Amino acid sequence: MPANGKDIAKTPYYITTPIYYVNDKPHIGHVYTTLACDVLARFMRLDGRRVKFLTGTDEHGQKVEQSARKNGLEPQAFTDRMSQNFRDLSAAWQFSNDDFIRTTESRHVKAAQAIWVRLKEAGYIYLDKYSGWYAVRDEAFYGEDELTRTEDGRMIAASGAECEWVEEPSYFFKLSAFEDTLLQFYDQNPDFIGPDGRRNEVISFVKGGLRDLSISRTTFKWGIPVPDDPDHIMYVWLDALTNYITAVGYPDENADEYQAFWPAELHMVGKDILRFHAVYWPAFLMAAGLAPPKRVFAHGWWTNEGQKISKSLGNVIDPYELIETYGLDQTRYFLLREVPFGNDGDFSHRAMVNRMNNDLANDFGNLGQRVLSMIYKNCGGQIPEPGELRPADEAMLAAADSALARMRSELALQAFHRALEAHHAVVAQANRYVDEQAPWALRKTDKARMATVLYVLAEVIRKLAILAQPFMPNGPAALLGQMNQSDAARDFAALGTRLVPGTEIAKPQGVFPRYVEDEETKGAS
């Protein structure tokens, strides 16, 4: 990442979630991926960058066709209904995506068929017959060495999906031709896959040898027709992955968005679909003469109170219940603060309440409310005029001034937890500064000094609120509103300014309430 904000502002930023399979009901995994992308998109916009943030739904495949039939619907009607679930989720969680793509859209059919033609004309597609193990649930092909045979003879993939033996005519993509090319690409682009442990897994997989990939099916019809051979439909993953270039205007490579945003800065994915994004997708793009994305990051999974999340256990985490129970800002904060991003994490009620009450209510929220309340009460409801700054004041302001650079560098690595640690370190320092300077005592002994201390604190709170906006869209905005900061004064450029003395503030209100346990919850925890 460039070293300063001026250079960064010149670089467009394109970030994507995977497109979510419409057979799934939105769950914590979907929220986690999209939340991470939302925070990065918001951060980059505030940092002056032109941003495109894409999410959407993957709507083709045998599994969708079967589910539609079970529900007595045509596949298109079924996908229309199911896709809306993900739009509703985005609205509830205040995700700021700029585009929402569906693979049933005409723009996407056009793009997917165009890349097929490019691959075929380049000599990387050939017609043969596929015989092998296929998991309908995963929409994936598996080698026998990747499967386990149960006592009753069923073949099970590591994902838990049952596989069936498939024999049918199929077009193949010459994936085997890209083994050395991919390894060279990974070597030349060490940041292409994150975190490092996932990168090592992908390299090991490719070194183990790549087989040509079956990329069409004939046994069902719900998919994008293969150009010039309508008996075949495109393999759902070739179709799905192409969404990332569809959304920036492909096949028109001269389109403004394609020129600005491709290659994508970051594809954010769950660790279970890394192979598709870090092996198949760059190979497809290279074969078509197109640039691969700059980075693919695979995050971990969540458990619930120490248990694997599953429908059979009845412990699925409902994204709507989360924000209803704990609050939107608080839940967004917890999910990205609690666990190093990239690792697996455990959701627990107790951990959630601790973060809400300690980091947000006690530390950040209380800092804002008590300082602004002192200003409102003792300074005529206006930001006071500071006097001469002492070393302690300079150190406090310097800590707040340096937070952006630290958070920027951590988010460039998708280290959300460390970015929030950097933010909280300034909150903690500000609380220590309040206690050491004791402005409530200065009110009686040295009002000029009190004014300086309160000015420094107000300035630090302003900066902390601006920096917290990408993570929590409501509380920090309310804090800035109480400080009478205009919308134009809330981006990161405003961090290079200072508060104007005499600015009137509103009567302070708490923005991060404490979570109070009811008796039933106390007994269960």
Side-chain angles (χ1 to χ4, degrees):
M1 178 172 279
N4 60 67
K6 188 176 179 182
D7 291 335
I8 286 174
K10 297 176 183 177
T11 311
Y13 189 87
Y14 182 28
I15 184 167
T16 69
T17 72
I19 50 174
Y20 300 123
Y21 207 53
V22 288
N23 254 31
D24 293 329
K25 182 181 179 183
H27 55 66
I28 188 69
H30 301 122
V31 162
Y32 193 46
T33 316
T34 314
L35 171 60
C37 292
D38 182 60
V39 167
L40 288 170
R42 287 173 178 270
F43 189 94
M44 300 307 167
R45 290 190 198 104
L46 290 170
D47 215 9
R49 298 177 73 169
R50 180 184 175 190
V51 170
K52 184 175 178 73
F53 166 23
L54 176 71
T55 190
T57 45
D58 179 9
E59 304 184 11
H60 290 130
Q62 188 174 3
K63 192 163 52 171
V64 172
E65 188 177 74
Q66 291 175 349
S67 295
R69 194 180 303 125
K70 285 179 185 176
N71 283 273
L73 295 170
E74 289 299 312
Q76 186 64 60
F78 176 75
T79 57
D80 289 346
R81 186 174 74 183
M82 299 298 286
S83 179
Q84 187 61 41
N85 292 335
F86 291 90
R87 289 184 185 271
D88 294 343
L89 184 75
S90 285
W93 280 72
Q94 296 183 25
F95 296 143
S96 62
N97 50 291
D98 303 288
D99 196 356
F100 187 100
I101 192 164
R102 299 179 57 188
T103 55
T104 50
E105 293 178 56
S106 58
R107 61 170 171 163
H108 181 67
V109 173
K110 178 182 176 183
Q113 290 182 327
I115 199 170
W116 180 286
V117 170
R118 285 276 286 267
L119 295 173
K120 191 171 184 183
E121 288 178 348
Y124 289 107
I125 290 179
Y126 63 91
L127 182 62
D128 203 339
K129 187 177 87 168
Y130 177 76
S131 299
W133 295 100
Y134 183 74
V136 174
R137 194 190 81 181
D138 296 347
E139 301 284 5
F141 302 96
Y142 291 103
E144 196 149 339
D145 58 339
E146 299 178 281
L147 304 173
T148 302
R149 188 182 295 275
T150 65
E151 290 183 1
D152 59 1
R154 293 177 299 129
M155 298 296 275
I156 307 295
S159 66
E162 185 171 346
C163 297
E164 59 185 26
W165 185 260
V166 174
E167 293 187 15
E168 60 181 313
S170 178
Y171 284 95
F172 283 79
F173 172 71
K174 293 182 181 177
L175 184 63
S176 60
F178 287 87
E179 187 174 321
D180 292 339
T181 307
L182 285 168
L183 291 172
Q184 184 179 21
F185 176 72
Y186 302 148
D187 185 57
Q188 293 173 350
N189 299 275
D191 294 330
F192 174 65
I193 302 168
D196 288 343
R198 303 290 173 214
R199 180 176 184 272
N200 297 336
E201 290 174 13
V202 169
I203 290 173
S204 177
F205 173 76
V206 175
K207 283 183 175 179
L210 296 176
R211 294 187 291 267
D212 289 353
L213 182 67
S214 172
I215 56 167
S216 75
R217 301 294 305 276
T218 60
T219 53
F220 62 96
K221 293 299 181 185
W222 183 240
I224 295 177
V226 167
D228 300 323
D229 195 345
D231 289 340
H232 291 252
I233 59 165
M234 292 172 60
Y235 173 45
V236 70
W237 272 101
L238 174 54
D239 157 10
L241 290 163
T242 303
N243 93 88
Y244 302 128
I245 53 176
T246 299
V248 291
Y250 185 82
D252 180 4
E253 294 173 56
N254 293 315
D256 171 63
E257 286 204 335
Y258 191 93
Q259 290 288 313
F261 292 118
W262 195 259
E265 197 78 23
L266 179 66
H267 291 329
M268 188 74 77
V269 301
K271 63 182 182 179
D272 54 323
I273 55 172
L274 178 59
R275 182 188 303 180
F276 299 98
H277 286 80
V279 180
Y280 300 169
W281 181 224
F284 293 152
L285 291 165
M286 291 170 179
L290 304 173
K294 296 178 185 177
R295 183 165 167 85
V296 177
F297 192 97
H299 64 72
W301 292 339
W302 284 87
T303 53
N304 186 358
E305 303 287 354
Q307 286 189 309
K308 183 178 178 179
I309 295 173
S310 74
K311 292 178 184 176
S312 59
L313 289 174
N315 66 345
V316 173
I317 299 174
D318 185 308
Y320 294 97
E321 287 183 11
L322 273 184
I323 57 177
E324 186 178 329
T325 302
Y326 303 109
L328 179 65
D329 279 9
Q330 291 85 344
T331 309
R332 286 173 58 115
Y333 179 88
F334 172 84
L335 290 174
L336 294 178
R337 176 72 173 87
E338 184 69 10
V339 176
F341 197 72
N343 293 2
D344 291 341
D346 182 53
F347 182 90
S348 79
H349 171 73
R350 180 55 47 213
M352 180 77 187
V353 171
N354 285 342
R355 287 290 179 198
M356 290 173 64
N357 287 350
N358 295 331
D359 290 16
L360 296 181
N362 293 356
D363 295 347
F364 188 19
N366 188 48
L367 172 70
Q369 189 171 9
R370 68 172 173 161
V371 168
L372 295 181
S373 294
M374 281 189 274
I375 292 172
Y376 190 80
K377 182 178 179 182
N378 300 305
C379 304
Q382 296 180 347
I383 300 298
E385 182 78 46
E388 184 178 349
L389 298 178
R390 298 179 182 178
D393 309 329
E394 298 280 10
M396 187 67 255
L397 289 169
D401 289 340
S402 66
L404 172 61
R406 169 84 189 278
M407 293 177 74
R408 187 188 280 145
S409 64
E410 297 294 5
L411 289 179
L413 302 173
Q414 293 77 59
F416 297 93
H417 61 295
R418 291 204 300 264
L420 285 171
E421 283 171 5
H423 184 273
H424 192 258
V426 180
V427 171
Q429 185 173 338
N431 277 307
R432 290 194 298 273
Y433 174 85
V434 176
D435 292 339
E436 290 163 2
Q437 301 300 320
W440 53 88
L442 291 170
R443 181 174 63 85
K444 301 174 183 176
T445 60
D446 190 343
K447 286 193 174 181
R449 178 61 190 157
M450 175 199 74
T452 301
V453 169
L454 291 177
Y455 177 86
V456 168
L457 284 165
E459 172 62 6
V460 170
I461 290 164
R462 180 184 73 93
K463 284 185 162 63
L464 286 168
I466 288 172
L467 289 166
Q469 291 175 107
F471 296 89
M472 298 176 285
N474 300 313
L479 205 50
L480 290 166
Q482 291 176 30
M483 299 179 77
N484 202 15
Q485 299 300 294
S486 69
D487 290 346
R490 299 186 185 195
D491 63 16
F492 293 166
L495 295 171
T497 66
R498 290 281 192 237
L499 263 174
V500 178
T503 300
E504 292 189 3
I505 67 170
K507 185 175 182 180
Q509 303 287 330
V511 297
F512 296 119
R514 286 183 59 80
Y515 183 90
V516 180
E517 305 267 13
D518 58 36
E519 291 306 313
E520 185 178 339
T521 307
K522 281 182 182 177
S525 61

